[in-house]
Every structure is written in C-alpha cells, then in structure tokens.
Amino acid sequence: MIRLILVSLFLIIFLILSIPIMLVERVIKKFNKPAADISSLRIVQWAFKVILVFTGTKLTIIGEDRIPKDQAVLYVPNHQSYFDIVITYSRCPGLTGYVSKDFMERVPLLSNWMKHLYCLFLDRSDMKAGLKTILTGIDYIKNGISICIFPEGTRNPHPEDGLLPFKEGSLKMAEKTGCPIIPVAISGSQDIWEKHMPFMRKCKVIVEYGEPIYLNQLDKEHRKFSGAYTQSKIEEMMKRHESMTA
C-alpha cells in the first residue's frame, strides 16, 4: 500500500506545483515554441520516471534504436495497464501526443498538461468528432509531432488470452501521412497494479519496439488489413517475451 500512497501523493503534488510551470511554459511558447514543447515533454517524462521508481518497476527495453529520430511516427502499442502510458511516454525521444478517451479531458490539471503536449481526446460514440480528432492527429504528424494510439481501444483485462482485435481505423493517421508505424509490445505491465489492486508490486516489464512499418511498402492484402498485420507483429514480440520471463 505504501507504493500506492507514494505514487498518489507525488502525482497530486506534481500537478499542483506544476501550475506555475505550465503558465511559464505557455509564455515561452509564444516566443520559442520548439523550446517550450521539448521542455514540457522532459518535465512530464521526469515525473513519470519518478512514478516508475516509486512502483519499483524494472524496465527491459528492446529495439529503441529502431525508432526513426528524423521524423514523426505513429506508435502502436498493446494495452493492458494504466501504466502503459507512463512507461511508453517516459521513453519518447521526441514530442508525442497520445490518443486518449474523451473522459480524460474532464480531469482537472492532468488534461491541461495533456492538451499542452498535443494529446487528443477521442469520442468513439460521435463519428463526426472522431473524424475531427483523426484529422488533427494527421496535422500534428505532418508538423513533426508523433502520435501514440492504442488500437485495442481499451485496456485488455486478460492479455494472457491474446490481444483484443485492432481497430483498422486506428492506423488512418499513418495511411494519410505516410509516416512509419512503430509496433510496441509491452509485457508484464499488469503486474504493477491491475493484478492485485489496490496494492502496487515490484515487477519486471518488457517493452520492445518493432521494425518500422511503412504501409506503402506492404503488399495489397497486408495494406488492406494493416491493423491485423501490425497486431501480428506485436504478438510475435510478446511471444518472445515469454521465454525472457520464464
């Protein structure tokens, strides 16, 4: 329980104390937008790394060098824990916005940071609003801001039974921009909290970045079902992780 208390207290204190920081960042952004963006990214990444220390999570990172450093990408991870966001965001080499469920937009302070860092809020029940969100993401990628989307659409409560079907529309931003898709396989993140709520436990988590996928280089069949193809690449990586944790 002490880990949960530490994480909760740190998060609350960070959000409160970061209010003036956020205001300063907005002022800087008017004069030097790139500097303010990177500064905000590093501040939040630092906070997430502190949270991971409090949880006792030990990360094994594979293939991080496969991420192109000279262009925006679409990160496509599997999703089994709230901590998937904390883990992957703390590793982003450049500015990255996450696609989140729209209810997160109503969370005070946290949503302010999310908007500041180009996160998108997706309302799956409103097709028109959803299309607008995707178009915004396309614009971000064209302007050099990477996007991360969880194509399962929600946290998978039983990853041991396999991944949830990927939503084909989730890769639309890569299709329209030509940016590379980076498949990301996360194994073990449920062991941090979800498997034994409300307690947080020390554990090992494996994060593997796969080879970039360029949709325009795929054959017609794989391009048509790019979601299923990307899912298969993540499943292959997760299968390898089983021998690493045995």
Side-chain angles (χ1 to χ4, degrees):
M1 186 63 74
I2 187 65
R3 296 183 188 279
L4 177 60
I5 293 172
L6 285 173
V7 169
S8 300
L9 283 176
F10 176 79
L11 184 57
I12 292 170
I13 293 171
F14 171 79
L15 289 175
I16 293 173
L17 294 182
S18 68
I19 293 174
I21 296 175
M22 195 184 307
L23 294 175
V24 171
E25 293 282 5
R26 286 180 178 175
V27 173
I28 297 174
K29 204 168 191 175
K30 293 180 180 181
F31 302 96
N32 192 334
K33 186 172 178 291
D37 283 342
I38 291 299
S39 174
S40 296
L41 170 67
R42 301 309 179 207
I43 288 170
V44 174
Q45 286 183 319
W46 169 82
F48 282 174
K49 288 175 182 177
V50 172
I51 288 174
L52 290 174
V53 170
F54 285 155
T55 63
T57 302
K58 182 178 180 181
L59 296 178
T60 296
I61 307 297
I62 303 170
E64 204 165 33
D65 58 333
R66 295 168 181 159
I67 305 172
K69 303 299 189 294
D70 58 349
Q71 65 181 126
V73 304
L74 181 67
Y75 295 101
V76 179
N78 61 301
H79 195 18
Q80 56 183 247
S81 168
Y82 288 114
F83 283 91
D84 294 335
I85 298 169
V86 176
I87 292 167
T88 55
Y89 196 79
S90 70
R91 310 294 309 185
C92 293
L95 200 61
T96 304
Y98 275 54
V99 178
S100 173
K101 291 182 179 179
D102 60 322
F103 78 86
M104 291 297 296
E105 193 171 10
R106 300 189 291 273
V107 180
L109 297 181
L110 181 59
S111 62
N112 295 94
W113 269 110
M114 293 176 72
K115 292 174 184 176
H116 191 62
L117 289 166
Y118 302 96
C119 290
L120 301 169
F121 302 94
L122 182 62
D123 182 358
R124 297 187 184 277
S125 64
D126 187 332
M127 186 175 296
K128 186 176 180 180
L131 177 59
K132 185 178 179 180
T133 299
I134 296 301
L135 291 174
T136 300
I138 290 171
D139 186 57
Y140 283 171
I141 291 174
K142 288 180 178 179
N143 284 281
I145 301 168
S146 296
I147 295 293
C148 179
I149 188 167
F150 295 97
E152 290 174 280
T154 188
R155 285 182 302 111
N156 182 357
H158 303 291
E160 65 278 4
D161 295 333
L163 302 183
L164 300 176
F166 280 23
K167 300 182 184 302
E168 291 296 331
S170 60
L171 305 185
K172 187 65 68 176
M173 286 180 275
E175 178 185 328
K176 295 298 182 182
T177 62
C179 78
I181 295 169
I182 305 297
V184 185
I186 307 170
S187 298
S189 58
Q190 262 197 339
D191 294 330
I192 300 174
W193 192 42
E194 279 82 0
K195 280 190 175 181
H196 32 66
M197 289 182 179
F199 302 100
M200 290 183 179
R201 306 292 191 197
K202 292 176 63 175
C203 69
K204 297 180 181 179
V205 177
I206 302 172
V207 181
E208 182 171 358
Y209 298 87
E211 294 289 347
I213 298 171
Y214 294 87
L215 295 181
N216 60 2
Q217 295 178 8
L218 298 180
D219 59 46
K220 184 178 179 180
E221 187 67 16
H222 284 149
R223 190 163 59 247
K224 182 178 179 181
F225 299 103
S226 56
Y229 177 78
T230 304
Q231 179 174 343
S232 70
K233 295 299 179 182
I234 294 174
E235 289 172 335
E236 288 174 9
M237 289 187 281
M238 294 182 72
K239 188 66 177 177
R240 290 197 297 271
H241 297 176
E242 293 177 8
S243 62
M244 298 172 62
T245 56

